[in-house]
Amino acid sequence: MNRDTRIVITGMGWITPLGHDLDTVWSKLAEGVSGIRPIERFDASSFPTTFGATVRDYDFTAYVKDPALHAHAGKNSQFALGAARQAWDQAGLDGAAGLDRRRIGMYLGAGEGVLDFDNYAKTDIEAWDDAARALNPLRWAEAAMRNLDPWREIEQEPN
C-alpha cells in the first residue's frame, strides 16, 4: 500500500453475545454488561467450564434475501452474513449511484472456531482410537472426506 492510499470505514456490523446490532452492543459495552452465561447449546456438565460467551436468539434469515441459499451455513458464516449486511446497510451502498464494486473491500474479523462444528465433532469421534487415547490420523482423514463439505462455508448470494 502506498502512502497515497486512502481507507475509509463507512459501515460496521456486529453479531456478538451482547447483541446483534451496533447500538445494542455498544451500549452494553459502555454499561459493562458481560456476555458470559452458562452454556446451553450443548450439555457442558462433564467439562471443567460450563460457561461461555454464546450468541443467543440470533436469526440470520433476517439479513439475507434468500435464506435457502445459506440453509447449511455454519454458525460462524451465519454471524458473518448478519454483520456484513449491517455494514453494507450502514454504509448506504444499496442503490448507490455510480458504485464501482471493484473499489469496495470488506474486512471481516470474527472469533474463529471450527466452521462446521457438528460434522467436525462427528469426524473426531469416528477417528478416536480408545486404545491409543488419541485421534487416528488416517481414520480422521477418511471420516473428514465423508463428513465435511469444503463448500459449506463459502456459499454466496448471487449478485
Side-chain angles (χ1 to χ4, degrees), residues 16 39 43 66 79 98 101-103 113 136 152:
T16 78
I39 294 171
D43 180 9
D66 185 357
F79 300 155
R101 290 180 181 257
R102 295 170 299 171
R103 295 191 46 93
N136 177 308
R152 180 171 178 183

Side-chain angles (χ1 to χ4, degrees), residues 2 15 41 54 56 62 64 66 71 89 92 133-134 138 142 146 153:
N2 68 42
I15 305 298
R41 188 169 172 213
T54 303
R56 290 177 165 71
V64 296
D66 185 357
D89 290 347
R133 296 190 49 78
L138 181 58
E142 291 168 349
R146 282 191 308 276
E153 298 306 323

Side-chain angles (χ1 to χ4, degrees), residues 135-156:
L135 287 178
N136 177 308
L138 181 58
R139 272 199 316 213
W140 192 93
E142 291 168 349
M145 292 299 289
R146 282 191 308 276
N147 299 327
L148 299 175
D149 178 0
W151 294 104
R152 180 171 178 183
E153 298 306 323
I154 58 172
E155 296 174 349
Q156 296 181 2

